[in-house]
Amino acid sequence: MQMSGIPFGTTDWSAVERTEHKGETGVAFWRTKHFGNIRVRMVEYTPGYLADHWCVKGHVLLCTEGELHTELEDGRKFTLKPGMSYQVGDNAEPHRSYTEVGAKLFIVD
């Protein structure tokens, strides 16, 4: 990830429009900003959320609230709790996430 041409700025995430994205079950609410080719999101998954696809996009993801389970296509599973993060490169390892209790995340991709 190369970050260039982005002046210093702050973001009030509560002022960013919230969009709804349905999962296989549950809903994800995104607040999204773009800075050049970098997408930054605050994401909230409702309890019972399960992604409706295997994602191949690279991310750096920080769990700020709740608990997030991420399954890799090869069967490995990982759990994030507040203060934990994961990172994965583009087209590296397909993954999908789910949560039983809900989760709030900060994601850069």
Side-chain angles (χ1 to χ4, degrees):
M1 173 184 330
Q2 181 170 343
M3 298 176 63
S4 59
I6 302 170
F8 181 86
T10 63
T11 302
D12 175 357
W13 289 101
S14 67
V16 176
E17 179 185 5
R18 186 172 92 154
T19 59
E20 181 177 312
H21 303 264
K22 293 184 179 178
E24 190 171 304
T25 59
V27 178
F29 296 103
W30 297 9
R31 295 180 191 270
T32 306
K33 296 283 286 182
H34 290 90
F35 303 97
N37 63 352
I38 297 170
R39 178 175 67 171
V40 180
R41 295 177 285 159
M42 294 292 289
V43 175
E44 180 178 351
Y45 291 145
T46 61
Y49 175 83
L50 169 63
D52 64 353
H53 66 284
W54 289 97
C55 182
V56 296
K57 177 85 175 138
H59 316 283
V60 175
L61 183 150
L62 171 68
C63 179
T64 62
E65 291 183 35
E67 186 173 272
L68 182 72
H69 304 283
T70 299
E71 175 183 14
L72 303 187
E73 196 172 45
D74 67 11
R76 289 179 289 156
K77 295 180 181 180
F78 302 88
T79 299
L80 296 183
K81 295 182 179 189
M84 296 176 69
S85 64
Y86 77 68
Q87 54 284 326
V88 62
D90 290 332
N91 302 305
E93 296 177 276
H95 52 282
R96 71 175 177 174
S97 294
Y98 63 95
T99 178
E100 297 163 352
V101 300
K104 290 185 180 179
L105 314 166
F106 181 77
I107 306 172
V108 178
D109 51 29

